[in-house]
Amino acid sequence: MRINTRTATAVAAAALCAGALAGCSDSGSGSASKENPADFVAASATTSPSSSMPASPSVNPSEEVGKVSVKTGPFGKILVNGKGHTLYLFEADKAKKSTCSGDCIVDWPPALVKGTPQAGTGVKANLLTTTTRSDGTKQAMYNGHPLYTFREDTKPGDTKGQDLTEFGAKWFVVSPEGKAITTPPQSASPTSTTSPTASESAGASPTAS
């Protein structure tokens, strides 16, 4: 009878321990399953990148020529753009096409236009046309010469590009007739102001005493 009691007690104790172990194991797995989704949600909330990126600024197009006019300066009457900057022709251009591209247009920006360029005072409208560049833009052309400005001409009236040899040929300012002006700049002729000298003024005959 004692043996049966002890056996029953041992069996009960073993069953109780097994139940306790199973309960600990279940509670542990349950807590782990609850932590994973929470951790995932928190991580997702903190690491989601912002989809709103600022747009890159658009590149400003080359300055348009505007109205082509005639201005008088050291080289006589020459063509200028709408802001008074000197316009040039490039002797390398042939067959009414521009051969200036790449690094060339950095120093010599093409006189771009939209539509038909406007002829100002002194300009012959029938000589003012356009040519299509390789990139599809329209460039003002006068008497068959594509027109350009010069990067170092920082203000109206500058003619620093005149008679330069760059990118394989000469650059010249343009006359109202549409030809290259190759003559030297005109120097201001000195005005002849011949005032009588003091000795000439004093050369009058003395009065008789």
Side-chain angles (χ1 to χ4, degrees):
M1 190 65 180
R2 289 181 180 178
I3 294 174
N4 293 338
T5 303
R6 289 179 179 178
T7 302
T9 303
V11 171
L16 179 62
C17 182
L21 290 175
C24 292
S25 176
D26 291 341
S27 62
S29 61
S31 61
S33 63
K34 292 181 181 179
E35 289 175 359
N36 289 340
D39 292 344
F40 179 77
V41 172
S44 301
T46 55
T47 58
S48 59
S50 175
S51 59
S52 59
M53 297 296 291
S56 57
S58 58
V59 179
N60 291 329
S62 299
E63 178 181 309
E64 292 186 21
V65 65
K67 182 182 292 185
V68 177
S69 303
V70 172
K71 184 177 181 179
T72 303
F75 295 97
K77 293 182 178 181
I78 63 173
L79 300 185
V80 297
N81 67 7
K83 293 188 175 182
H85 292 159
T86 304
L87 294 171
Y88 298 85
L89 62 79
F90 186 32
E91 285 199 325
D93 291 345
K94 304 297 181 183
K96 300 180 181 180
K97 291 290 184 181
S98 171
T99 59
C100 178
S101 60
D103 291 339
C104 179
I105 64 174
V106 176
D107 290 341
W108 301 91
L112 301 182
V113 295
K114 289 182 179 179
T116 304
Q118 301 178 29
T121 304
V123 171
K124 298 181 179 180
N126 61 319
L127 298 181
L128 186 60
T129 56
T130 61
T131 181
T132 303
R133 296 182 56 79
S134 58
D135 60 359
T137 56
K138 298 287 185 180
Q139 182 174 357
M141 185 168 58
Y142 196 76
N143 194 28
H145 299 290
L147 300 177
Y148 308 83
T149 55
F150 185 46
R151 183 180 63 174
E152 295 186 14
D153 288 349
T154 56
K155 63 181 183 297
D158 283 351
T159 53
K160 297 177 183 177
Q162 171 66 1
D163 201 22
L164 289 183
T165 301
E166 289 188 356
F167 301 97
K170 290 274 191 179
W171 298 82
F172 292 108
V173 294
V174 188
S175 71
E177 289 72 33
K179 297 180 179 180
I181 298 177
T182 60
T183 55
Q186 302 171 357
S187 58
S189 58
T191 56
S192 58
T193 55
T194 56
S195 57
T197 61
S199 58
E200 291 174 348
S201 301
S205 58
T207 57
S209 54

